[in-house]
Amino acid sequence: MGFLNLVIITPLYMQLLGMSVGMPLIKYVLIAVVPFNLIKGALISAVFSVVYVRMMPWVKAQAASFKH
């Protein structure tokens, strides 16, 4: 995803919004975008893990009720 941010997404947003970051784009992506994506990924994984553990008994019960 960092590569897509570097090559497509960030330049597109910058062009559409007419903005500039005041530093080389690669540095901006490495300092701002990559850490944000890593933190976001960790948070989503943690939330999914909690939801998965809590929903597993219900999912198993539903699966058992559909077996004939």
Side-chain angles (χ1 to χ4, degrees):
M1 192 65 174
F3 180 73
L4 287 176
N5 275 308
L6 177 63
V7 176
I8 298 172
I9 298 169
T10 304
L12 180 64
Y13 273 114
M14 289 173 60
Q15 185 177 17
L16 288 174
L17 298 175
M19 62 180 258
S20 131
V21 291
M23 65 176 72
L25 190 56
I26 185 114
K27 186 175 180 181
Y28 172 73
V29 169
L30 289 174
I31 291 174
V33 176
V34 171
F36 173 79
N37 285 340
L38 291 173
I39 292 168
K40 182 180 74 168
L43 288 173
I44 289 172
S45 296
V47 169
F48 177 79
S49 296
V50 169
V51 170
Y52 176 78
V53 167
R54 298 209 28 143
M55 294 229 16
M56 204 57 204
W58 180 81
V59 171
K60 286 182 181 179
Q62 293 298 314
S65 71
F66 283 113
K67 291 183 180 178
H68 296 145

